[in-house]
C-alpha cells in the first residue's frame, strides 16, 4: 500500500513496538512508550509546551540512518525556533542537518492547495526515509485549506497523509493550537492514533501545566490530568500513578527503628515499625520538628541514611537548629548520608515532590524520611493542587512506603480545649502510627503531654506522659496521675486519691475526642 511504501499486508501483521519518548514520565503515562509508526496530534493552547515536547522526542530518537524531518508552516522560522530550543539540555547540535532536518513549507501552503502540500511532504519523506516526522503548525495548513476546501476534501487529505507516513514507517506528530471545543467531529482528530492535549491553568498568581492522553489506539494509557513542568532539561511529566504499582517492601520480621528517645520507643512497643508512616501532630511550639530531628539523628548515629523534606526554612537554617540540640547535620550532608530537600519552587505540585523525594531515596539508599511539615507543604503548592491535597497525600504516602522507607510527617494543629483533633486534613487514616502532642493547663501552668494514639503494627502504651523540650531534645517524664480529662487540655484533679500513691487513677475513657 502507498507509493513505494513498506507497510505489510493484513495477512502478515507485525507486533507493535514501543518507542521511548525520552521525556521523563511520559512513557509511563503512555502505557509503556509510544506505538511506533503511529500518527499523533500534539494539541492545546499557546505556551503549553507542544513544540518542546516534539523536539524532545525527536532529538531522543533521530539517527542519520532514520532521521527526523521537522516541517515548519507559517509559525516560527527554524532559525528562531532553534535559538530557543538549543537552551535545553536535550538539544544535540551535532544532529542538525544529519539526524534532524528542518524544512520550511510556508511558500507551498500560501501559494498552492492541499495536494501540493501533500506532494511536498511525500517527496521529502521518500528521499530521507525518516523515523520521525513533525508538522508544526498543522493547524495553519488546515486554516489555509478550509478557505476553499470542503470538509470531505480535508478529511481525505488527512487520511492520505496518514497513509503515506505510516507506510513509510514514520512516527508522526502534527502540532496545532486548538481549543477543546474543536475536538468534536474534527477530521484531524478522527484519523489520529494518538491525541496528546497540553494545557495551562492560571490560578491566582500561579501557572500549572497539565498533560492528558485523550486518545491512544492499541494500548491502555494512564487516564486523567498529569502535571507537566518545563525545566532546563526540557519537559518532565509526573504520572498520577507514579509509585502506586508494585508490592510494598516489607520483610517477614519487621524490625523496629529507634526514635532516638528511649522512653518513647518503650511506649511504641520497641520503636517505630520499619516501613511505617508515622504522623506526629501538635500545636505550634510543641516539639514536632525536634522529634523529627532526633529521629533522623538517631538513624545517622546508627549508620542509616536519611532525607528531610522541608518547606518552611532553608537547609542551612534547619541544620543550624539541629546543631543547637547537639546534632551534627553538616558532616552527613557532605558525605552523602543526609539529604535536606528544600522544596519551594513556584507552583509546586505533589507529584513533583514525590518524584524528587523518591529519586533522593534511591540515590542515597535512605531508610528514614521526614516531611516537615504538611502545613508548609500545602502552602507551597499551587492553589489548584491544594484542592486535591488529601487525595494527593494518599498517593504520595503510598508511593513512598512502597520503597520501604520509614516516614515521619509533622502536622500543626490549632489547639482546641474541647476535642482531641488529629489532623486538619482528615488524613489520619493514611498513617500507620500517630503520636499526639498537646498543651494542658495544670494548676496555672501550661505543660506539655504526649500520647500514642494509634499503631497498626501492634500494641502500644496507653499512657499520657508529660515531656519537656531541653537542649538535648525531647525528654519524656512519668505518666501523669491523679487527673481526669487530660486529653481535653483542661484536666480536673481527682478527689479521694493521691497522684503519688502509685495507683492508676488517670482515666482517658472519661474523655472523648
Amino acid at each position: 500500500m502507498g507509493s513505494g511504501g513498506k507497510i505489510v499486508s493484513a495477512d502478515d501483521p507485525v507486533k507493535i513496538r514501543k518507542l521511548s519518548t525520552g521525556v521523563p514520565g511520559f512513557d509511563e503515562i503512555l502505557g509503556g512508550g509510544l506505538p511506533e509508526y503511529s500518527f499523533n496530534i500534539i494539541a492545546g493552547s499557546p505556551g503549553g509546551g507542544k513544540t518542546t515536547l516534539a523536539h524532545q522526542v525527536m532529538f531522543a530518537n533521530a539517527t542519520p540512518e532514520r532521521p527526523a524531518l521537522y516541517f515548519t508552516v507559517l509559525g516560527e522560522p527554524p532559525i528562531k525556533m532553534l535559538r530557543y530550543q538549543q537552551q535545553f539540555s536535550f538539544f544535540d547540535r551535532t544532529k542538525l542537518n544529519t539526524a534532524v532536518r528542518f524544512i520550511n513549507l510556508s511558500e507551498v501552503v500560501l501559494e498552492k492547495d492541499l495536494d501540493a502540500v501533500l506532494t511536498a511532504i511525500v517527496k521529502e519523506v521518500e528521499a530521507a526515509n525518516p523515523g520521525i516526522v513533525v508538522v508544526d503548525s498543522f493547524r495553519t495548513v488546515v486554516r489555509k485549506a478550509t478557505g476553499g476546501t470542503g470538509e470531505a476534501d480535508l478529511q481525505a487529505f488527512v487520511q492520505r497523509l496518514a497513509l503515506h507516513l505510516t507506510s513509510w514507517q514514520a512516527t508522526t506528530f502534527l502540532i496545532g493550537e486548538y481549543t477543546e471545543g474543536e475536538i468534536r467531529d474534527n477530521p484531524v482528530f478522527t484519523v489520529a492514533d494518538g491525541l496528546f492535549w497540553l494545557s495551562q491553568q492560571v490560578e491566582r498568581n500561579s501557572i500549572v501545566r497539565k498533560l492528558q492522553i485523550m486518545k491512544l489506539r492499541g494500548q491502555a494509557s494512564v487516564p486523567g490530568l498529569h502535571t507537566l513542568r518545563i525545566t532546563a532539561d526540557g519537559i518532565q511529566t509526573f504520572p498520577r500513578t507514579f509509585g502506586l504499582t508494585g508490592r510494598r517492601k516489607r520483610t517477614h520480621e519487621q524490625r523496629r527503628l529507634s526514635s532516638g528517645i528511649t522512653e518513647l520507643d518503650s511506649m511504641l512497643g520497641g520503636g517505630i515499625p520499619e516501613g511505617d508512616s508515622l504522623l506526629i501532630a501538635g500545636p505550634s511550639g510543641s516539639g514536632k520538628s525536634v522529634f523529627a530531628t532526633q529521629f533522623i539523628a538517631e538513624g545517622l548515629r546508627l549508620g542509616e541514611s536519611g532525607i528531610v523534606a522541608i518547606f518552611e526554612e532553608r537547609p542551612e537554617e534547619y541544620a543550624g537548629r539541629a546543631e543547637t540540640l547537639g546534632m551534627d547535620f553538616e558532616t552527613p550532608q557532605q558525605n552523602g548520608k543526609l539529604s535536606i530537600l528544600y522544596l519551594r519552587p513556584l507552583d509546586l505540585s505533589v507529584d513533583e515532590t514525590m518524584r524528587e523525594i523518591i529519586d533522593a531515596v534511591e540515590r542515597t539508599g535512605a531508610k528514614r524520611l521526614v516531611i516537615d511539615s504538611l502545613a508548609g507543604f500545602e502552602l507551597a503548592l499551587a492553589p489548584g493542587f491544594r484542592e486535591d491535597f488529601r487525595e494527593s497525600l494518599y498517593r504520595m504516602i503510598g508511593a513512598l512506603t512502597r520503597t520501604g522507607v520509614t516516614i515521619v510527617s509533622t502536622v500543626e494543629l490549632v489547639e482546641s480545649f474541647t476535642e482531641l483533633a488529629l489532623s486538619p486534613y482528615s488524613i489520619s487514616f493514611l498513617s500507620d502510627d500517630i503520636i499526639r502532642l498537646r498543651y494542658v493547663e495544670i494548676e496555672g501552668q501550661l505543660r506539655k503531654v504526649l500520647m500514642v494514639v494509634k499503631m497498626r503494627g501492634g500494641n502500644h502504651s496507653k499512657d499520657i506522659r508529660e515531656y519537656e523540650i531541653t537542649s538535648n531534645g525531647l525528654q519524656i517524664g512519668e505518666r501523669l496521675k491523679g487527673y481526669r480529662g487530660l486529653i481535653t487540655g483542661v484536666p480536673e484533679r481527682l478527689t479521694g486519691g493521691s497522684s503519688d500513691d502509685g495507683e492508676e487513677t488517670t482515666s482517658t475513657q472519661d474523655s472523648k475526642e
Side-chain angles (χ1 to χ4, degrees):
M1 298 177 64
S3 57
K6 305 175 183 178
I7 196 167
V8 296
S9 69
D11 297 329
D12 185 23
V14 295
K15 183 178 180 181
I16 296 178
R17 294 188 300 176
K18 302 292 183 67
L19 184 75
S20 178
T21 62
V23 179
F26 194 27
D27 288 352
E28 182 177 336
I29 294 173
L30 292 169
L34 185 69
E36 205 169 24
Y37 318 143
S38 55
F39 190 75
N40 307 287
I41 310 291
I42 302 177
S45 58
K50 301 182 296 298
T51 298
T52 302
L53 178 62
H55 273 80
Q56 200 162 342
V57 175
M58 181 174 66
F59 275 95
N61 289 279
T63 65
E65 297 73 27
R66 295 282 284 163
L69 299 185
Y70 199 104
F71 294 97
T72 60
V73 184
L74 298 179
E76 291 180 314
I79 187 66
K80 181 180 179 182
M81 185 184 303
L82 293 176
R83 181 183 302 164
Y84 294 106
Q85 292 296 315
Q86 68 180 340
Q87 307 300 320
F88 293 114
S89 64
F90 66 76
F91 187 90
D92 186 350
R93 189 182 301 273
T94 63
K95 288 191 173 185
L96 292 181
N97 300 319
T98 54
V100 175
R101 306 173 193 175
F102 289 86
I103 303 165
N104 196 326
L105 292 179
S106 298
E107 185 176 343
V108 178
V109 172
L110 284 173
E111 299 180 1
K112 300 183 180 181
D113 58 13
L114 286 177
D115 287 337
V117 174
L118 179 62
T119 300
I121 293 175
V122 170
K123 179 182 177 181
E124 296 288 351
V125 169
E126 289 179 347
N129 187 28
I132 302 282
V133 173
V134 180
V135 182
D136 185 5
S137 154
F138 189 76
R139 175 69 183 277
T140 306
V141 177
V142 174
R143 281 178 171 172
K144 172 64 170 60
T146 52
T149 305
E151 183 177 320
D153 293 332
L154 177 59
Q155 185 165 3
F157 166 74
V158 175
Q159 289 175 335
R160 288 160 56 202
L161 177 64
L163 177 60
H164 277 289
L165 295 176
T166 304
S167 70
W168 279 94
Q169 297 184 352
T171 304
T172 305
F173 300 93
L174 307 183
I175 301 175
E177 294 179 359
Y178 294 91
T179 63
E180 293 189 25
E182 295 176 283
I183 298 176
R184 182 179 299 176
D185 301 326
N186 191 311
V188 177
F189 299 146
T190 302
V191 174
D193 300 312
L195 173 55
F196 314 138
W197 194 270
L198 281 65
S199 61
Q200 290 190 95
Q201 300 173 4
V202 180
E203 297 168 344
R204 297 176 64 181
N205 294 324
S206 70
I207 296 178
V208 175
R209 289 184 171 92
K210 294 284 189 176
L211 165 69
Q212 182 181 5
I213 309 300
M214 302 191 75
K215 176 182 179 182
L216 189 60
R217 288 194 177 111
Q219 65 190 59
S221 58
V222 180
L225 296 175
H226 308 274
T227 303
L228 167 74
R229 185 173 286 275
I230 301 178
T231 69
D233 295 323
I235 283 178
Q236 182 171 9
T237 59
F238 302 92
R240 294 177 60 246
T241 54
F242 174 70
L244 296 182
T245 57
R247 300 182 64 181
R248 188 171 178 176
K249 293 181 181 179
R250 283 190 184 273
T251 58
H252 292 295
E253 295 183 3
Q254 190 177 16
R255 72 186 184 108
R256 300 281 182 136
L257 302 186
S258 173
S259 65
I261 306 170
T262 303
E263 296 82 0
L264 182 58
D265 289 344
S266 298
M267 295 178 69
L268 293 169
I272 305 169
E274 186 176 26
D276 271 13
S277 170
L278 183 146
L279 179 69
I280 180 160
S284 176
S286 59
K288 302 181 298 297
S289 295
V290 174
F291 170 86
T293 302
Q294 287 181 263
F295 170 72
I296 289 292
E298 179 66 8
L300 294 172
R301 187 184 69 81
L302 297 173
E304 299 173 349
S305 298
I307 296 172
V308 181
I310 56 177
F311 306 89
E312 300 167 17
E313 56 185 334
R314 295 190 175 276
E316 57 271 19
E317 295 171 348
Y318 194 90
R321 187 160 50 78
E323 187 175 2
T324 64
L325 298 172
M327 305 171 194
D328 177 16
F329 276 13
E330 293 292 346
T331 303
Q333 287 186 85
Q334 294 170 5
N335 61 29
K337 298 292 288 185
L338 174 64
S339 179
I340 302 179
L341 305 177
Y342 177 63
L343 301 172
R344 281 303 297 267
L346 293 175
D347 310 327
L348 182 68
S349 75
V350 174
D351 301 299
E352 291 175 82
T353 304
M354 186 195 316
R355 175 75 270 181
E356 187 157 354
I357 292 174
I358 288 182
D359 284 348
V361 169
E362 294 175 349
R363 182 174 63 250
T364 63
K367 298 296 183 182
R368 299 175 181 230
L369 165 67
V370 162
I371 301 175
D372 191 11
S373 68
L374 295 182
F377 185 13
E378 184 189 27
L379 288 176
L381 296 175
F385 294 121
R386 295 176 196 169
E387 297 177 5
D388 303 322
F389 188 52
R390 187 166 177 259
E391 174 200 345
S392 299
L393 278 180
Y394 169 76
R395 292 189 289 111
M396 188 177 80
I397 296 298
L400 290 171
T401 53
R402 276 178 173 79
T403 67
V405 69
T406 304
I407 307 170
V408 168
S409 303
T410 68
V411 61
E412 182 172 330
L413 302 173
V414 176
E415 195 67 277
S416 168
F417 290 94
T418 59
E419 62 177 350
L420 186 69
L422 298 179
S423 166
Y425 309 109
S426 299
I427 55 166
S428 56
F429 73 96
L430 298 177
S431 303
D432 299 301
D433 318 311
I434 298 176
I435 296 174
R436 179 65 159 91
L437 312 179
R438 79 159 304 150
Y439 294 118
V440 296
E441 185 272 324
I442 297 179
E443 298 177 352
Q445 286 188 325
L446 193 63
R447 292 153 74 172
K448 302 181 184 74
V449 297
L450 66 78
M451 62 210 81
V452 180
V453 177
K454 170 186 173 183
M455 280 197 74
R456 282 202 180 113
N459 198 14
H460 60 85
S461 171
K462 308 304 187 294
D463 291 346
I464 300 175
R465 300 181 67 169
E466 188 173 7
Y467 70 95
E468 292 183 355
I469 301 175
T470 71
S471 58
N472 295 318
L474 263 65
Q475 299 289 331
I476 299 179
E478 296 296 322
R479 188 183 112 204
L480 280 173
K481 300 178 182 179
Y483 295 93
R484 182 197 309 276
L486 279 167
I487 63 174
T488 68
V490 188
E492 298 177 356
R493 180 180 290 277
L494 291 174
T495 59
S498 170
S499 60
D500 300 322
D501 59 9
E503 295 181 8
E504 201 169 295
T505 54
T506 302
S507 173
T508 60
Q509 296 177 349
D510 295 331
S511 302
K512 298 182 180 180
E513 295 184 9

